[in-house]
Amino acid sequence: MIEFRNVVKHYGGQTAVDSVSFSIARAEVCVLIGPSGCGKTTTLKLINRMLEPSSGEVLLDGYPVASFEPEELRRGIGYVIQSVGLFPHMSVAENVGIVPRLVKWERSRRERRTDELLDLIGLDPAQYRRKYPSELSGGEAQRVGVARALAADPPVLLMDEPFGAVDPLNRETLQLEFAALQRKLRKTVVFVTHDLDEAIRLADHVVIMREGRILQHDQPAQVLASPANEFVRQFVGVDRALKRLACFEVGDHMKRAETITREESRNRLNEPNGDGGYHPILWVTNRDQALVGMLEPELNRRSPLAYRPYVELHPAEVGVRPAASLREALSRILGQGLRAVPVINDEGRVLGEVRLSDIEELNQTGITR
Amino acid sequence: MIDRGLGADLEKTTLLGAVLATVTLLRPLFAFKENRVALGEPVMLPEAGGVWVTGVIAGLVLAAGLLSFAPQVNRVRWAKISIGMLLFATLVITLGLSGSQAVAGMEFARITPSTGFWVGVLASFVLVQGSLHSAPVSHLVRSVVVLIPFLIVLILLAAGVLDSLAPVQEYYTRESRFVSELGAHLWLSGVAVLAASMTGVPLGILAYRRRMAERPVFAAVNGIQTIPSLALFGLMIAPLAYLSREFPVLRSLGIRGIGNAPALIALTLYALLPVVRNAYTSLAVIRGSVIDAGKGMGMSRAQMLRFVEVPIAVPIILSGVRVSTVQAIGNTAVAALIGAGGLGTFVFQGLGQGAPDLVVMGVIPIVLLSVFVDRSLAVVIRVLTPRGLKGAPS
């Protein structure tokens, strides 16, 4: 969808982008990351011709971007910037509807689209349509910025540290919302950030840049598992093993869980320990098959019984959702002091379990020292 | 429990108004003159208005004094505003009625308001404004309240109640001259502001766009502003007289050392600073990120101007024009000195003839004109300001 061919950009006497070549596939999120001054924003701006390359070319859908009129090109590419840049004199609806207005949609279609987008980003149109940017919180303004970029339904979205100016708590919410949105919309997204966690959370591919060059271009898990060089290793940090867990979803790594009813659990309580072999955690469910408690295996080999007494559980505290990351699962496991945590759905039903041993195993495969 | 004590809620502005208002009881209300140049005989309030009016005014002063110790709640606020209005109305009506009585039957007799009257008017202004500015009311209500005193004066003028006042008499003897000088005044300040806007807006934009131009442009317009207006008018005479002598073309266009041409040039130069400064600011307030976003969304240069720059900048530029118009109306009064005409003519005539009433007759329309133009432009600007940019009322 987007291809860089030996692109060089000189800025004053310096080389901001130094013969960069890479490509971004349709419907993927490609995150450009690196320390400030590494050329990531410059690279981004070469795509919609906010900047022109000194040499080399950028292709969009196989055509050089230089072959389009800049304005024409930009109207087909959504653009979100860190400082949002909402027009202060326009209402939320006017801001969102500006690109459709530039490309001359009729008013009724524009209004429909605006409301649709506000719904999409989780702001009630009736309440927000007439508000002005000065009346919005940072997070709301940023959502409107995203809606504005999506207004004319462009296939490509450029995002330059879009959540950089938002406080950490809201930033995470915005990231998760954006990830969910992207699963629906399947845009080709080029995303610039200096926040590694953000990159891991959102990226299909990560491009790590330094001094205008690409150091590594790979899937996030791969970058964390085997950094290409010392700089990348330092950049991703000593806790890269932990960060890498954020790349995996619980749903892909859960195992079958053993569930029993409350009545059955009474019988199992008398089960002899035998030779002290492996016993799984027994998740106890009620009539609706929702998690209510558990029987935890006895770890003391000399104990005559296999299981400890029944423990009541709060599903929300113990269980993880299939869409959660293994990092979150690990955090639950450590927090609860268990060998595994149940995977539950919205109704509290047990879908499976994530085991500490599996996480350890996953961690050992792939990670290079 | 904290003992709040007397004076915890003291409203200093109201107290000031009350103290000022006592002056109306202690100093002459007006001076009676048998003719234009006669020395005036002072007339005190009790003599002019009698026991009842004096009692009413004393009561109002006392009420204002007591209310300055009351907490500033809404009811108290409106009480103070009413006191101020009543004070003003009583003073003006008393002045007019007792003045008419005093001059009855005498052809050249007139009265001039004195300290007691003027300080009383000031006191009512302090009482009304001191409470109105913090009152939680809309622009409309505020404007209507402010208009009431003007309406009172207009009605009294139209009814002939104020005919005995010296400035009014001065007006009647110069009615046609007054109209033509008012026209000249409007023309001079209008043309000057127009010229200043046409040069000042591009200068401000230039100063913003070109780093090199910023310092010299502001040094120049600031520098002009520091020259006293009298001196600037004077400075125009020599070079223009020279040019007019050397180039007959200019002379035939009416350009001479004195008259309209030097006045217009000086007035225009004075009017530049607010226009240039606001044109510069209007662009400076448009944040880089907004321009960046517009460009990134595919706005052309013309669309950027139409959708972003003009809507944000125009109200700010107009605010500059507003300030410079008010300034120009004041400065035009001085232009009469170099023969350009305008309402200043009466002011300088009055000064020359030792006739303060003539000065007052010239000054009051200038003040009213300034206030009127200022408020009207404020309304225009408020209408043009996009809702998202509306902050504190201007």
Side-chain angles (χ1 to χ4, degrees):
Chain A
M1 185 79 185
I2 299 170
E3 191 183 349
F4 280 72
R5 282 191 191 156
N6 293 313
V7 174
V8 179
K9 175 68 185 173
H10 299 295
Y11 241 151
Q14 289 184 321
T15 307
V17 175
D18 194 357
S19 62
V20 158
S21 298
F22 72 106
S23 53
I24 301 164
R26 187 179 298 277
E28 83 163 7
V29 178
C30 176
V31 174
L32 307 180
I33 190 170
S36 49
C38 70
K40 52 191 194 290
T41 295
T42 308
T43 305
L44 183 88
K45 288 183 168 177
L46 288 167
I47 299 171
N48 65 352
R49 292 188 68 187
M50 294 289 274
L51 296 172
E52 302 289 349
S54 308
S55 70
E57 61 179 356
V58 182
L59 304 180
L60 181 67
D61 251 347
Y63 300 99
V65 289
S67 66
F68 301 97
E69 279 299 310
E71 280 88 31
E72 214 57 44
L73 175 76
R74 289 175 199 147
R75 283 171 203 163
I77 298 178
Y79 189 50
V80 187
I81 55 179
Q82 173 176 1
S83 32
V84 196
L86 291 184
F87 301 124
H89 58 296
M90 292 185 188
S91 67
V92 165
E94 288 170 320
N95 263 289
V96 173
I98 188 73
V99 178
R101 199 162 155 195
L102 294 181
V103 297
K104 308 213 159 61
W105 288 14
E106 9 171 326
R107 176 183 288 268
S108 59
R109 181 173 171 211
R110 231 161 52 204
E111 279 167 3
R112 256 198 327 274
R113 178 64 179 158
T114 304
D115 284 0
E116 187 183 306
L117 280 163
L118 288 178
D119 265 332
L120 191 68
I121 56 166
L123 299 178
D124 175 21
Q127 195 191 339
Y128 281 89
R129 214 185 281 132
R130 288 159 188 279
K131 284 201 179 196
Y132 281 84
S134 57
E135 301 164 314
L136 301 177
S137 73
E140 287 166 347
Q142 200 51 261
R143 285 185 183 89
V144 174
V146 172
R148 183 173 67 174
L150 291 171
D153 205 16
V156 177
L157 210 53
L158 306 183
M159 307 180 84
D160 190 356
E161 302 205 29
F163 310 136
V166 185
D167 64 276
L169 215 68
N170 271 310
R171 191 184 312 158
E172 196 177 326
T173 316
L174 285 171
Q175 287 163 357
L176 294 176
E177 280 177 14
F178 177 72
L181 202 61
Q182 168 63 7
R183 272 195 290 277
K184 256 189 276 179
L185 299 176
R186 314 267 306 148
K187 302 282 180 195
T188 306
V189 181
V190 188
F191 192 109
V192 163
T193 184
H194 59 252
D195 176 351
L196 187 66
D197 290 317
E198 185 167 77
I200 293 166
R201 197 167 279 144
L202 301 177
D204 296 314
H205 280 95
V206 182
V207 173
I208 297 182
M209 296 186 70
R210 184 199 187 191
E211 291 170 358
R213 290 170 179 278
I214 293 180
L215 300 184
Q216 192 167 4
H217 177 194
D218 217 330
Q219 292 172 348
Q222 209 46 44
V223 171
L224 289 164
S226 42
N229 59 28
E230 192 49 36
F231 176 82
V232 177
R233 184 188 296 270
Q234 275 184 15
F235 186 78
V236 299
V238 285
D239 59 343
R240 62 190 164 98
L242 192 58
K243 282 179 179 151
R244 184 167 170 264
L245 290 180
C247 303
F248 303 106
E249 267 187 26
V250 162
D252 299 335
H253 295 270
M254 64 183 183
K255 293 280 168 63
R256 208 183 67 80
E258 263 198 64
T259 54
I260 53 174
T261 61
R262 189 78 182 89
E263 291 75 49
E264 286 172 329
S265 75
R266 296 204 177 87
N267 302 330
R268 298 293 290 265
L269 265 179
N270 302 323
E271 195 171 305
N273 199 353
D275 55 1
Y278 175 78
H279 294 284
I281 300 179
L282 301 176
W283 305 108
V284 180
T285 55
N286 63 12
R287 249 178 231 117
D288 301 325
Q289 295 186 299
L291 181 68
V292 289
M294 68 165 178
L295 295 183
E296 196 186 355
E298 181 56 75
L299 297 178
N300 185 352
R301 284 166 170 272
R302 272 172 293 181
S303 161
L305 294 176
Y307 285 96
R308 294 183 186 171
Y310 172 76
V311 183
E312 206 170 285
L313 292 176
H314 293 285
E317 272 171 36
V318 188
V320 289
R321 302 301 168 93
S325 72
L326 282 188
R327 187 175 175 166
E328 201 183 325
L330 178 64
S331 164
R332 290 289 162 89
I333 287 173
L334 296 175
Q336 299 290 331
L338 297 170
R339 291 193 317 217
V341 285
V343 180
I344 58 173
N345 64 7
D346 290 344
E347 286 85 46
R349 287 172 63 170
V350 179
L351 305 173
E353 65 181 26
V354 179
R355 296 178 190 155
L356 180 59
S357 54
D358 290 341
I359 294 177
E360 283 169 343
E361 200 176 308
L362 179 75
N363 204 25
Q364 275 152 14
T365 59
I367 280 256
T368 59
R369 280 170 215 280
Chain B
M1 187 70 192
I2 303 163
D3 178 22
R4 286 165 60 80
L6 186 68
D9 294 312
L10 177 65
E11 247 287 307
K12 295 199 188 80
T13 320
T14 314
L15 191 62
L16 173 71
V19 170
L20 284 175
T22 56
V23 174
T24 53
L25 298 166
L26 306 174
R27 301 288 308 159
L29 186 69
F30 61 83
F32 170 79
K33 294 176 178 178
E34 281 182 8
N35 56 52
R36 191 173 179 221
V37 289
L39 269 177
E41 304 164 25
V43 177
M44 301 285 287
L45 180 65
E47 201 184 328
V51 186
W52 282 106
V53 171
T54 313
V56 166
I57 290 194
L60 290 173
V61 173
L62 192 66
L66 289 176
L67 278 179
S68 63
F69 291 94
Q72 184 81 313
V73 294
N74 242 341
R75 217 168 345 143
V76 173
R77 233 181 236 133
W78 284 109
K80 288 173 183 172
I81 292 171
S82 316
I83 290 175
M85 291 289 181
L86 277 175
L87 181 65
F88 180 79
T90 315
L91 282 173
V92 179
I93 294 170
T94 310
L95 185 77
L97 292 179
S98 71
S100 308
Q101 234 168 41
V103 302
M106 287 185 261
E107 196 185 341
F108 299 109
R110 57 199 63 204
I111 63 158
T112 304
S114 303
T115 342
F117 175 78
W118 292 123
V119 177
V121 170
L122 178 65
S124 62
F125 174 78
V126 169
L127 287 173
V128 170
Q129 270 304 320
S131 297
L132 192 61
H133 85 101
S134 64
V137 292
S138 69
H139 279 291
L140 189 69
V141 174
R142 209 181 293 263
S143 310
V144 168
V145 172
V146 170
L147 275 178
I148 293 176
F150 291 100
L151 275 177
I152 295 175
V153 172
L154 267 181
I155 292 169
L156 292 178
L157 269 176
V161 176
L162 299 179
D163 282 355
S164 61
L165 265 71
V168 179
Q169 299 221 333
E170 297 284 1
Y171 168 77
Y172 280 134
T173 54
R174 293 178 175 75
E175 209 166 346
S176 66
R177 179 81 194 278
F178 178 86
V179 173
S180 69
E181 294 299 356
L182 177 65
H185 202 107
L186 287 174
W187 186 82
L188 278 171
S189 28
V191 172
V193 170
L194 200 69
S197 306
M198 273 159 31
T199 46
V201 172
L203 269 180
I205 294 173
L206 179 78
Y208 181 77
R209 290 269 153 84
R210 300 260 176 279
R211 269 251 144 112
M212 298 274 291
E214 186 182 334
R215 285 169 65 86
V217 164
F218 277 101
V221 293
N222 279 319
I224 293 167
Q225 207 69 199
T226 62
I227 307 173
S229 53
L230 211 56
L232 189 60
F233 284 118
L235 281 175
M236 287 291 138
I237 297 175
L240 282 176
Y242 171 79
L243 287 174
S244 164
R245 204 172 57 239
E246 293 297 305
F247 302 99
V249 191
L250 294 179
R251 203 171 331 138
S252 67
L253 286 172
I255 294 178
R256 288 171 301 142
I258 56 169
N260 279 343
L264 274 181
I265 295 175
L267 288 172
T268 305
L269 288 176
Y270 270 121
L272 273 179
L273 176 64
V275 177
V276 174
R277 196 182 42 207
N278 278 45
Y280 177 91
T281 314
S282 73
L283 294 179
V285 295
I286 302 178
R287 290 170 47 199
S289 61
V290 169
I291 298 292
D292 205 34
K295 199 176 158 199
M297 255 172 285
M299 284 189 185
S300 63
R301 193 74 202 87
Q303 285 168 331
M304 189 79 86
L305 211 62
R306 175 176 154 213
F307 289 118
V308 183
E309 288 168 326
V310 167
I312 297 180
V314 162
I316 301 173
I317 293 177
L318 278 183
S319 301
V321 173
R322 174 184 165 201
V323 172
S324 93
T325 309
V326 172
Q327 260 183 25
I329 290 173
N331 281 332
T332 304
V334 185
L337 262 193
I338 54 168
L343 292 168
T345 314
F346 303 120
V347 175
F348 289 111
Q349 260 180 26
L351 286 175
Q353 300 171 5
D357 301 318
L358 189 53
V359 177
V360 171
M361 190 212 102
V363 166
I364 287 180
I366 295 176
V367 172
L368 291 183
L369 202 59
S370 303
V371 172
F372 176 73
V373 169
D374 183 56
R375 295 319 304 168
S376 326
L377 283 177
V379 170
V380 172
I381 290 166
R382 198 155 47 237
V383 169
L384 284 179
T385 306
R387 199 158 71 80
L389 295 178
K390 273 177 193 165
S394 53

